Amino acid sequence: MAETQRSLSAFGRLSYAVGHFLNDLCASMWFTYLLVYYHSVLGFQNSLAGVLLLSGQIADGICTPLVGYESDRTSGCGRYGKRKTWHLVGTISVIISFPFIFSPCLGCDENTPQWVGLIYFIPFIVIFQFGWAATQISHLSLIPELVSSEHAKVELTAYRYAFTVLANIAVYAIAWLFFHFQVGSAEDPSITDNLGRFDIPVFRNLAIVVLGIGTVFSIFFHLGTREAGTHQQGAVLEPDEHQPLISGLRVTRPARVLQWKHWLKETSFYQVAFLYMFTRLIVNLSQTYISMYLTKSLLLPKKFIASIPLVMYVSGIPCSLVMKPFSQLIGKSMTYFVGLLFIMAFSYWVLLSSHMGLEVYGAAVLLGSGSATILVMSLSMTSDLIGDQTQTGAFVFGAMSFTDKVANGLGVMIIQVLYPDQTGAWYYRNVMVIVTGGMAIAAALALCTLLIWPIRIRRHLSSDSEADAAVN
C-alpha cells in the first residue's frame, strides 16, 4: 500500500525556510570574520586564534550528536513539539552569547596577556556553539517530518539554503556599508586598507545588527511552523498517484524503527557522512580563509572581505532556485558532481593566477555556485538516508554534523600552526587551492562509492518494509 504523501503550503515552506536564518547570519560572521577579527583586529597570535575557532568547533561537534539524541528521545515542552522546543532553547543560547564573541574582552586592553582573553572568550563560544547546534539539528530534523516526497525534500532544502544565501548576503552587505562609512570619515589612509583595533566598532555593531535581524525571523518561524503530529499548520496531505481513492486509510509506518546504535552498523551511514564532511570542509574552510587570502596573499583593500563573499553568495541564489528541476533531470549525484566541477575550476584558477585583480570576482562566482550546489545536494542525500526513519533523524543529522565540525576545527588548527613567518604571503593562496581542489577530489571519491553502492538501509527492518531509496 502506498503511503500518503506529506507536503507543505507556500506559507508553510516560507515559515520553515526562515527558521535557520539567525544561525546562518551568525555562522557567516563566525567562519568569515572570526580569524580576521581575533588575529588582525585584536592582535591574537595565529595559533591562539586557531585555538578559539577549534574550541568552538569541538564544542559544536560534541553538542550536535548529544542534542540530536535528546531531540529524538524527549517529547518537547507540552504540545509545542520536541523539534521546536530544542530550536527555541538553541535560539536563546545564541542570542545571549554571540554579541560577546565579537566584542573586546571586558576590562582588557592592548597590554593584557592573550591567555586572559582566551579564557574570557571560550565560555561564550561554547554557549554559542551549543545553541547553534540545537537550532541546526532541530531545524534539519523537521524536513523528513514535514514532507515525505523526495523531490519535496530537495525543494525544502533548497528554500532553506536560499535563505542561507540571503543571510550571508545580508552580513556582507552590512559589513560593506560599515567599512564604506568608516573609510569615508577616516583621515588616516592606513585605515582604508588595513585592519586594526580601530575596526572593533565595525565588527561589534555588525554582530548586534545581524542578531536583531535574525531574532525577528526566528519569531516568524516559531509562529508559522508546526510539527507533524501536533497541528501541522500549512501541511497538506497529498495522495500518492498509486493510492486507491478510498478515504480513511492510515499512513503506513516502518515495521521497525531504527535506534541510534543501528545506524552505526549501516554502510550508507558512513558513505553519506564522509560525503557531507568533505562538502562542509570545502564550504566552511573556503569561507574561513577567503578573507585571509584577499588581504594577505592578494594584498587587496579590506573592503574586499565584504564584497567578494557577497558575490559568492549572490551567485548561489540562481543555483538554489534551479536545484529541484535540475536534480530531477540528471539525478542528485550528477548534480552534486556538476557543483564539484565549479569548485575544481575555481581551484585551478587560483593556482594559475599569481596576481588577481578584478578577475577575483569571476573566481568568486565559480566558488559560490559550486558551494551552493554541493551543500544542497549533500543535505538532500542525508534526508534520503533517513527516509521514513524520522524518529531518529536528529541523531543522523547530529552525527553528520559532528564529523564536519571536528574536521573543520582540526583543519583550521593545522593551517594556523603551519603558517610560516617568513614566506606567508602566498601561504593562503596554497590553502585556498588545497581546501577547494583537494577536498573536491576527496568528495568525488566519496560520491563514487554512492554510485557503486547506492543509499540503502539493509539491516534491522523486515523485508516488506526495507528501504529501497537509492540516490539517482
Side-chain angles (χ1 to χ4, degrees):
M1 181 183 297
E3 76 173 45
T4 303
Q5 297 292 303
R6 300 185 302 274
S7 65
L8 288 175
S9 65
F11 177 79
R13 292 193 295 270
L14 176 63
S15 62
Y16 170 81
V18 302
H20 205 251
F21 201 68
L22 173 61
N23 260 23
D24 292 328
L25 290 168
C26 295
S28 178
M29 284 198 65
W30 172 266
F31 284 111
T32 308
Y33 296 134
L34 188 82
L35 290 181
V36 171
Y37 176 72
Y38 282 102
H39 176 61
S40 300
V41 177
L42 296 186
F44 277 55
Q45 297 176 4
N46 270 297
S47 58
L48 292 182
V51 167
L52 287 172
L53 195 145
L54 176 62
S55 65
Q57 295 303 101
I58 292 177
D60 193 359
I62 294 174
C63 292
T64 297
L66 294 179
V67 168
Y69 174 75
E70 289 296 324
S71 177
D72 288 330
R73 190 176 64 89
T74 57
S75 58
C77 183
R79 300 180 62 186
Y80 199 60
K82 58 183 180 180
R83 309 301 187 193
K84 286 182 62 180
T85 297
W86 278 99
H87 189 285
L88 181 61
V89 171
T91 299
I92 295 173
S93 300
V94 169
I95 291 174
I96 64 176
S97 61
F98 189 71
F100 293 96
I101 297 176
F102 283 93
S103 298
C105 170
L106 296 176
C108 301
D109 55 30
E110 297 181 15
N111 299 321
T112 303
Q114 294 186 359
W115 64 266
V116 175
L118 202 67
I119 296 175
Y120 173 85
F121 286 114
I122 285 180
F124 293 112
I125 289 175
V126 171
I127 295 173
F128 163 69
Q129 292 293 353
F130 162 77
W132 201 96
T135 305
Q136 180 202 35
I137 296 306
S138 58
H139 194 254
L140 284 173
S141 302
L142 278 171
I143 294 179
E145 295 188 5
L146 295 178
V147 294
S148 55
S149 166
E150 299 305 326
H151 292 300
K153 293 176 185 177
V154 175
E155 183 181 31
L156 208 57
T157 305
Y159 289 153
R160 181 181 185 273
Y161 187 77
F163 277 94
T164 299
V165 172
L166 291 176
N168 282 272
I169 290 174
V171 170
Y172 301 134
I174 296 170
W176 183 88
L177 288 174
F178 282 157
F179 283 125
H180 177 74
F181 288 124
Q182 181 197 49
V183 169
S185 60
E187 298 179 358
D188 187 354
S190 63
I191 296 180
T192 303
D193 299 330
N194 303 317
L195 290 165
R197 292 189 67 87
F198 42 78
D199 291 305
I200 289 177
V202 172
F203 290 96
R204 182 186 60 225
N205 295 337
L206 178 61
I208 294 174
V209 169
V210 300
L211 202 62
I213 297 173
T215 300
V216 173
F217 281 92
S218 294
I219 294 173
F220 182 75
F221 163 78
H222 280 275
L223 293 177
T225 303
R226 294 189 181 180
E227 294 183 35
T230 54
H231 294 283
Q232 187 179 347
Q233 183 179 19
V236 182
L237 293 179
E238 297 178 351
D240 185 88
E241 61 179 353
H242 302 295
Q243 180 180 347
L245 297 177
I246 301 177
S247 60
L249 294 179
R250 292 183 299 175
V251 176
T252 61
R253 296 184 179 273
R256 185 177 179 184
V257 176
L258 287 180
Q259 299 179 14
W260 67 269
K261 58 184 178 182
H262 294 153
W263 285 108
L264 301 180
K265 300 178 182 180
E266 293 293 338
T267 303
S268 294
F269 178 81
Y270 296 98
Q271 289 176 276
V272 176
F274 276 108
L275 183 72
Y276 185 77
M277 180 184 71
F278 291 131
T279 300
R280 280 294 187 177
L281 282 171
I282 294 171
V283 174
N284 292 345
L285 290 183
S286 63
Q287 186 178 3
T288 299
Y289 284 102
I290 188 68
S291 296
M292 307 297 283
Y293 169 64
L294 295 171
T295 56
K296 301 292 185 180
S297 295
L298 297 184
L299 302 177
L300 295 172
K302 63 184 180 183
K303 65 180 181 180
F304 278 84
I305 69 174
S307 60
I308 293 299
L310 179 61
V311 171
M312 287 170 51
Y313 280 91
V314 168
S315 64
I317 292 180
C319 291
S320 63
L321 295 177
V322 302
M323 204 75 66
K324 179 182 178 181
F326 203 67
S327 64
Q328 288 177 327
L329 181 64
I330 67 174
K332 297 176 185 177
S333 297
M334 291 307 300
T335 304
Y336 184 94
F337 183 71
V338 170
L340 286 182
L341 292 180
F342 283 111
I343 299 293
M344 292 178 182
F346 166 83
S347 176
Y348 192 64
W349 195 343
V350 171
L351 179 63
L352 294 183
S353 299
S354 58
H355 298 284
M356 274 198 190
L358 294 178
E359 61 266 28
V360 71
Y361 286 101
V365 171
L366 290 176
L367 181 59
S369 301
S371 298
T373 302
I374 63 176
L375 186 56
V376 169
M377 287 298 102
S378 65
L379 289 172
S380 179
M381 291 177 187
T382 305
S383 293
D384 287 346
L385 174 68
I386 296 172
D388 57 5
Q389 297 292 323
T390 58
Q391 295 85 350
T392 52
F395 170 78
V396 175
F397 277 116
M400 300 298 160
S401 187
F402 173 79
T403 61
D404 106 71
K405 303 304 181 186
V406 174
N408 275 283
L410 292 176
V412 168
M413 195 65 216
I414 292 172
I415 292 170
Q416 293 298 104
V417 170
L418 293 179
Y419 180 82
D421 294 330
Q422 301 298 327
T423 59
W426 290 105
Y427 179 73
Y428 291 112
R429 185 195 69 169
N430 298 332
V431 167
M432 291 299 295
V433 172
I434 294 173
V435 302
T436 54
M439 290 300 102
I441 294 174
L445 294 176
L447 181 65
C448 287
T449 67
L450 289 173
L451 293 174
I452 299 172
W453 301 286
I455 295 175
R456 185 186 299 270
I457 304 301
R458 294 183 174 89
R459 300 185 180 125
H460 311 295
L461 293 176
S462 60
S463 57
D464 60 335
S465 63
E466 182 175 88
D468 291 323
V471 175
N472 295 326

